[in-house]
Amino acid sequence: MTATTPAATSVPAEALLAPVPDEDGAPFWEYAARGELRVQACTACGRLRFPPRPCCPHCRSFASHWQPVSGRGRIWSYVRPHPPLLPAYAAHAPYTVVLVELADAPGIRLVGNLVASADAPLGSADPAAVRIGARVRAVFADCGGVTVPRWVPEKP
């Protein structure tokens, strides 16, 4: 099962830094643009890996494929920057940045913003509800022409 949303929400491109896809990670961003969360998997040993790279760090194979994951996980760590380090983020502060460990891929952790809903702006998540171990799920938003995963709290 993949995490999907009807349409990626839009964050003002001039306000945020957009990721720059590289050759190894390009499929990750292509799947995200379709509302799918996938991670790289070694075809030889089956182990998942992130960030994407050409060679498996476990068995050294160069064969890989992109495995769909549920898009569900738990907050492993978080930070609420204020004041922000970059002036373009000032209008969004304070906002919550989370490091999420994927439920169906232990050891795989993704960084993203925590928001109240798929179409909500940065800073919309209730800071009192943010805690280590809280369950979240992936949603997607356009950021400067690149679709990025963001995270919303799951209902208990």
Side-chain angles (χ1 to χ4, degrees):
M1 183 169 152
T2 57
T4 61
T5 58
T9 58
S10 183
V11 175
E14 69 280 357
L16 304 176
L17 296 173
V20 179
D22 62 9
E23 184 178 340
D24 295 322
F28 175 84
W29 302 108
E30 292 165 11
Y31 286 115
R34 294 189 275 192
E36 297 179 34
L37 192 61
R38 292 188 183 221
V39 296
Q40 198 177 39
C42 178
T43 302
C45 72
R47 306 250 328 242
L48 300 177
R49 62 184 187 248
F50 198 90
R53 61 202 107 171
C55 179
C56 177
H58 308 288
C59 74
R60 307 294 186 249
S61 172
F62 284 88
S64 68
H65 65 280
W66 287 85
Q67 172 121 3
V69 291
S70 68
R72 288 181 158 58
R74 292 184 181 266
I75 296 175
W76 194 82
S77 186
Y78 69 93
V79 65
R80 288 190 47 84
H82 47 151
L85 297 176
L86 299 172
Y89 284 73
H92 302 285
Y95 51 92
T96 305
V97 179
V98 291
L99 181 60
V100 173
E101 184 166 63
L102 299 178
D104 45 358
I108 303 290
R109 297 182 187 124
L110 301 174
V111 175
N113 294 108
L114 185 70
V115 291
S117 65
D119 58 351
L122 297 183
S124 60
D126 177 8
V130 180
R131 62 177 171 70
I132 303 297
R135 293 178 188 207
V136 293
R137 67 178 171 82
V139 295
F140 298 89
D142 178 78
C143 180
V146 178
T147 302
V148 298
R150 293 173 25 175
W151 303 91
V152 296
E154 281 211 316
K155 306 288 187 247

